[in-house]
Amino acid sequence: MKIGFIGLGNMGAPMAINLAKDHDITGFDTIAQPDGIAMATNAAAAAKDADVVITMLPNGDILRAVADEIHPAMKPGAIHLDCSTVDVQSARAVATQAETHRLAAIDAPVSGGIGGATNGTLTFMAGGPDAAFAKVKPLFDIMGQKAVHCGAAGNGQAAKICNNMILGVTMIATCEAFVLADKLGLDRQAMFDVVSTSSGYSWTMNAYCPAPGVGPQSPADNNYQPGFAAELMLKDLNLSQMAAEAADADTPMGQAATALYQQFVESEDGKGKDFSAMLPRFESRRRG
């Protein structure tokens, strides 16, 4: 395929490099110039004549602005595959706009972080038409290990937002439980051995344990250098609460997690640390 790739930052660049092994890639980014990718002078030039244009952008406002630029330049029948994590409303608005230009749109945010992008092991949560999903499925197979078609436009974003709201809430609960165990005199390894094989089992405990030296290797064992930064968790939690407000959904745990991560990132020392650094944050606090 001839592919345009717009947004070649920490995630987009390795994704594009993996695709370039098998496809003709033309990239564009306002800052990055990754090796091995032919670069266009602007987004519209990267999109021109492409079968698929992939975008990996920071937020919904930028996605809408880029869509305004690239959709008129894309050939009829082409697919706009957006892998950004943005609000559901922006994803659906871009999909509707694509239709007016006789294009198809798929929103497919990713899970797996920079390591997954580099190693081609991302998970994609996709929303959009069946036929368009089928056409881009071979690209998902190169960039990732799993792609789930979640339904209509915007449903990929909905799945990502719901997943990461669960992730944020469970990480906080896991960190709180470790600190409570410490104060009750329960050894962390014993805590892990019990919880990881009983009803407290969770991804945040079993696969990404926030306690250093316990469980599989995780950012906790590297001084909480980010695998998934706390500010990115805050972004996703904010998106979850925007969606909850728009859908009139009661999400008190999601709301509480958003407030805690906002405090951690904006008022404490959480920015630039992994989202599991909530554990030392709770260690330093008393019941208040």
Side-chain angles (χ1 to χ4, degrees):
M1 292 186 190
K2 183 174 174 56
I3 299 170
F5 205 118
I6 299 165
L8 296 167
N10 290 334
M11 291 292 293
M15 292 165 67
I17 288 167
N18 284 334
L19 287 172
K21 297 170 186 175
D22 296 294
H23 296 282
D24 179 9
I25 308 293
T26 301
F28 175 74
D29 192 279
T30 55
I31 299 172
Q33 300 282 328
D35 293 336
I37 301 295
M39 300 296 288
T41 56
N42 55 58
K48 190 176 187 299
D49 297 326
D51 302 300
V52 177
V53 178
I54 301 173
T55 47
M56 179 57 99
L57 302 166
N59 57 54
D61 289 342
I62 294 174
L63 171 63
R64 289 177 188 245
V66 169
D68 287 342
E69 183 177 354
I70 66 174
H71 285 179
M74 292 171 65
K75 65 183 182 182
I79 299 170
H80 178 185
L81 171 57
D82 179 50
C83 295
S84 318
T85 296
V86 301
D87 58 288
V88 175
Q89 294 91 332
S90 290
R92 289 178 174 160
V94 166
T96 299
Q97 177 180 304
E99 291 177 1
T100 67
H101 290 278
R102 295 186 292 162
L103 309 170
I106 295 284
D107 56 288
V110 305
S111 178
I114 296 170
T118 301
N119 297 323
T121 57
L122 295 169
T123 295
F124 293 85
M125 296 145 270
D130 291 345
F133 177 81
K135 287 181 180 177
V136 297
K137 180 64 166 58
L139 305 184
F140 292 144
D141 292 341
I142 293 170
M143 295 185 289
Q145 62 183 352
K146 186 174 185 179
V148 179
H149 191 200
C150 300
N155 282 14
Q157 299 296 344
K160 173 71 180 285
I161 288 167
C162 291
N163 180 78
N164 279 21
M165 186 173 73
I166 294 170
L167 180 61
V169 169
T170 55
M171 179 56 80
I172 288 171
T174 302
C175 293
E176 287 181 350
F178 267 114
V179 173
L180 177 59
D182 290 344
K183 292 182 181 294
L184 294 174
L186 175 61
D187 178 76
R188 286 181 171 183
Q189 186 63 53
M191 160 91 164
F192 177 85
D193 291 344
V194 170
V195 174
S196 65
T197 56
S198 60
S199 56
Y201 176 106
S202 68
W203 188 86
T204 57
M205 176 64 77
N206 291 60
Y208 207 90
C209 185
V214 179
Q217 193 81 7
S218 73
D221 299 303
N222 190 29
N223 197 31
Y224 297 99
Q225 292 300 304
F228 183 48
E231 54 265 36
L232 295 180
M233 173 52 75
L234 176 59
K235 172 192 171 182
D236 288 356
L237 287 168
N238 279 327
L239 290 174
S240 80
Q241 294 313 291
M242 288 172 57
E245 183 174 357
D248 195 23
D250 185 22
T251 57
M253 297 301 292
Q255 190 172 9
T258 305
L260 271 171
Y261 272 102
Q262 183 168 4
Q263 181 176 336
F264 184 49
V265 169
E266 297 180 0
S267 302
E268 298 172 353
D269 63 347
K271 188 173 183 180
K273 293 183 178 179
D274 191 76
F275 82 113
S276 62
M278 273 286 179
L279 177 55
R281 184 251 184 212
F282 284 120
E283 285 179 305
S284 66
R285 298 176 68 87
R286 300 173 64 88
R287 185 176 178 87

